[in-house]
Amino acid sequence: MRSSSLSKPQVTTLRALGIEIRASDWQTDGPEKLDQLFSGSDIVIITVNSQAILDQKILVDAAKRANVKRLIPSDFAKVCVPGVTDVHDRVESRLKNIIERYI
C-alpha cells in the first residue's frame, strides 16, 4: 500500500479490527527495506495494479526472505476459463511459477 493511502477510512476500519497495515513504495524501496517491512508478518497481501502483476516478483522474493507464512498475490484480471484470454493465461502461468518457487 502507498503511504498516501494510510489515512483512508477503509484502512482505519481495518486497523480497528487489529489488522496491521504497512506501506511501501516497492518500486523504489530496496531489498533491505522490504525485508524489514515484511519481517514478523504472518500474511502479506500484494495489491499492485494490473500493469505490475509480473513485477510483484520483487515482493514475492522479499516475503520469502522474511519467512512470511502466507502470501496472497495480486491478480486484477477478469475471471475467465483458461485459454479464453491468451495474455491473461501467460501472465497467470508466469506468476504461478514465481510463487511455486516461493513454496
Side-chain angles (χ1 to χ4, degrees):
M1 171 176 293
R2 293 182 300 252
S3 296
S4 60
S5 297
L6 289 174
S7 60
K8 290 185 175 182
Q10 299 91 331
V11 174
T12 303
T13 300
L14 291 173
R15 284 192 167 139
L17 295 171
I19 298 170
E20 182 178 356
I21 308 291
R22 299 179 186 178
S24 172
D25 183 347
W26 62 273
Q27 293 175 311
T28 58
D29 289 344
E32 300 82 19
K33 169 85 179 197
L34 293 174
D35 292 351
Q36 179 184 7
L37 185 74
F38 289 173
S39 179
S41 298
D42 292 327
I43 301 171
V44 169
I45 302 171
I46 299 174
T47 58
V48 298
N49 66 30
S50 61
Q51 296 171 346
I53 291 211
L54 288 178
D55 294 335
Q56 67 186 310
K57 179 184 182 309
I58 295 166
L59 302 172
V60 171
D61 291 342
K64 183 176 181 178
R65 288 190 304 271
N67 296 314
V68 171
K69 295 175 185 170
R70 179 163 296 192
L71 176 71
I72 301 170
S74 183
D75 186 356
F76 285 94
K78 62 183 177 185
V79 177
C80 60
V81 177
V84 171
T85 309
D86 290 339
V87 172
H88 177 264
D89 291 348
R90 286 193 301 265
V91 168
E92 190 173 74
S93 176
R94 287 183 64 191
L95 181 57
K96 182 180 175 192
N97 288 336
I98 290 168
I99 291 170
E100 284 176 348
R101 283 183 264 151
Y102 170 76
I103 299 172

